[in-house]
Amino acid sequence: MTVDDTGSGTGVHPAPDGEPGPTAGPVTDASPARVDAPGGRTDAHDRVDGHEEPEENPLALRLEQLILGAERRYTPFQAARSAGVSMELASRFWRAMGFADIGQAKALTEADVLALRRLAGLVEAGLLSEAMAVQVARSTGQTTARLAEWQIDSFLEGLTEPPEPGMTRTEVTYPLVELLLPELEEFLVYVWRRQLAAATGRVVQAGDDEEMVDRRLAVGFADLVGFTRLTRRMEEEELGELVEAFETTAADLVAAHGGRLIKTLGDEVLYAADDAGIAAEIALRLIETMANDETMPELRVGIAFGTVTTRMGDVFGTTVNLASRLTSIAPRDAVLVDGAFAEELTRTREAPASEAEAAEAAAAAEKEGEEPPTYRFALQPMWQRPVRGLGVVEPWLLTRRSGES
């Protein structure tokens, strides 16, 4: 079983004696000596020539057993056999979850067997195709890997500072993990259920079956201006704090106003919203919030509206590409939108087609003794210009109407 998911999926093959032989696939790891594996770490040369495994840190093994809730019992071949799945399918699942090849090492637990059995059972029952089961494994692995890395790098590292002189971080880690593990596990399940309920609700409200996959959304990119120059001037710690502050602020604003944060890319965030008005409000709030923070660089935002393909929590398609291009040509501290987004704002009466139209509507309402229409946003057409890969586009400058906030 290898991390590389571009191969044929054969993984580890049984040797003549019934145990798996060495895998033919490459091992992907930054260190030539040790690789990450489900259930622990294994010496690379041990997988190749059968050398004995080096003795592992006793605390690391205790922590692993505490977190996994079980002892190492199985080699990959034994785990696949106990789960009742082929070695080929087991290899595909493990690769998809992001775990490296562990050769013949006995590093898997009863929980690993159960996970294989459950995934295979969903396929056997016809609830998931094999390809979809692999996607489930991959999306779950990628998401939780990032979460685990963040918790170790930022969370545990700070909390395991020795509380008393003479104590080591190692001595603090075990009891801390023991206390936090059940609480974090319950919270993770709670948040996942909440997110699953929200995502399911959005999907079932789609107009038809095709729209459940390819949906019309507003997609926005927000990009810090001059970030590359900042990386050359700032210390690494300062740069990390700036990026974290930007991502935190953006995530909070997107969530608070009803959008969805798709991903963060250091100096850039990608978000989506079902409603053009929500996407516009988020964009302007981002600009206004960053402008009031002297520690933050200037910001520019691009938004497009149209059909978007969603896969594994990400978004793809021409609409996404157009939003990215609009961001790259947007003025500093400004929001550029495409024509489809502008049309959607005028259709929903969030913005007038022009200031002349707004004035005419106000005069007509006054003549009839009625309240004039109110608009949240203003749109100003900009010069048409060619955009790489997308032809000629006519961007619109989005601003807030006077008196609106």
Side-chain angles (χ1 to χ4, degrees):
M1 297 177 288
T2 70
V3 161
D4 182 11
D5 61 4
T6 60
S8 63
T10 54
V12 182
H13 300 279
D17 61 359
E19 286 297 316
T23 177
V27 175
T28 304
D29 187 67
S31 166
R34 302 179 74 80
V35 296
D36 290 315
R41 298 180 68 86
T42 305
D43 191 85
H45 69 71
D46 176 59
R47 296 191 319 277
V48 177
D49 55 21
H51 290 174
E52 292 184 5
E53 293 184 41
E55 189 173 330
E56 294 198 47
N57 185 303
L59 177 61
L61 291 174
R62 287 179 62 219
L63 279 169
E64 177 190 290
Q65 185 174 338
L66 171 66
I67 295 170
L68 297 179
E71 296 181 353
R72 300 178 179 184
R73 291 184 55 190
Y74 303 98
T75 66
F77 179 79
Q78 292 168 340
R81 184 170 55 189
S82 296
V85 303
S86 68
M87 192 63 230
E88 179 179 356
L89 183 58
S91 297
R92 291 189 67 197
F93 284 152
W94 286 117
R95 281 200 310 273
M97 284 186 276
F99 298 130
D101 168 54
I102 56 173
Q104 301 182 45
K106 185 174 287 188
L108 305 184
T109 72
E110 198 66 48
D112 297 310
V113 172
L114 181 59
L116 285 175
R117 192 176 294 151
R118 281 176 170 162
L119 275 176
L122 292 173
V123 175
E124 291 173 5
L127 296 173
L128 294 177
S129 66
E130 187 173 306
M132 181 59 69
V134 171
Q135 280 193 359
V136 168
R138 181 173 292 112
S139 61
T140 306
Q142 290 177 355
T143 303
T144 53
R146 183 178 180 187
L147 175 63
E149 289 289 346
W150 180 88
Q151 288 175 331
I152 293 300
D153 291 345
S154 303
F155 188 50
L156 285 178
E157 183 176 346
L159 288 179
T160 54
E161 288 293 339
E164 298 179 9
M167 290 189 70
T168 66
R169 175 167 292 177
T170 299
E171 292 171 323
V172 181
T173 300
Y174 189 93
L176 180 66
V177 171
E178 191 172 28
L179 289 171
L180 285 176
L181 188 62
E183 302 299 328
L184 292 178
E185 183 176 16
E186 288 191 13
F187 185 70
L188 174 62
V189 173
Y190 155 73
V191 175
W192 170 72
R193 284 182 177 272
R194 267 288 178 189
Q195 292 286 6
L196 190 64
T200 304
R202 289 193 296 268
V203 169
V204 299
Q205 290 175 24
D208 52 48
D209 288 345
E210 288 186 6
E211 202 175 326
M212 292 177 75
V213 178
D214 297 321
R215 304 161 58 197
R216 286 178 62 79
L217 297 175
V219 178
F221 278 94
D223 178 57
L224 292 175
V225 178
F227 185 76
T228 302
R229 290 194 301 274
L230 282 175
T231 61
R232 293 194 290 264
R233 296 204 316 261
M234 299 178 70
E235 297 290 336
E236 287 186 8
E237 185 174 346
E238 291 178 306
L239 194 62
E241 290 174 355
L242 183 146
V243 168
E244 184 176 356
F246 170 57
E247 291 183 349
T248 300
T249 300
D252 288 347
L253 285 173
V254 169
H257 293 281
R260 298 186 299 285
L261 186 68
I262 304 299
K263 59 186 174 184
T264 59
L265 304 169
D267 62 331
E268 188 174 60
V269 297
L270 169 62
Y271 71 93
D274 299 303
D275 181 86
I278 290 175
E281 182 65 30
I282 291 170
L284 292 173
R285 292 277 182 178
L286 284 169
I287 294 289
E288 293 158 359
T289 302
M290 297 298 174
N292 289 328
D293 187 341
E294 295 181 354
T295 65
M296 282 291 173
E298 295 164 305
L299 191 70
R300 54 191 175 195
V301 182
I303 315 176
F305 186 85
T307 302
V308 173
T309 299
T310 60
R311 290 288 186 279
M312 295 176 63
D314 209 341
V315 290
F316 306 92
T318 302
T319 302
V320 181
N321 295 337
L322 180 54
S324 177
R325 300 289 189 271
L326 288 170
T327 306
S328 66
I329 63 174
R332 295 165 182 254
D333 285 340
V335 182
L336 283 188
V337 304
D338 73 327
F341 188 90
E343 288 178 11
E344 185 67 11
L345 282 184
T346 57
R347 186 188 70 79
T348 57
R349 304 192 68 77
E350 297 271 18
S354 66
E355 289 304 311
E357 179 185 282
E360 289 177 7
E366 184 178 356
K367 185 176 180 180
E368 297 293 329
E370 300 174 352
E371 286 291 324
T374 57
Y375 303 100
R376 295 168 62 194
F377 309 110
L379 292 163
Q380 178 185 340
M382 309 290 283
W383 291 105
Q384 290 186 352
R385 65 189 72 187
V387 174
R388 180 168 53 87
L390 297 171
V392 177
V393 299
E394 181 182 4
W396 295 70
L397 182 67
L398 174 74
T399 56
R400 198 181 292 282
R401 291 276 292 177
S402 300
E404 299 292 334
S405 61

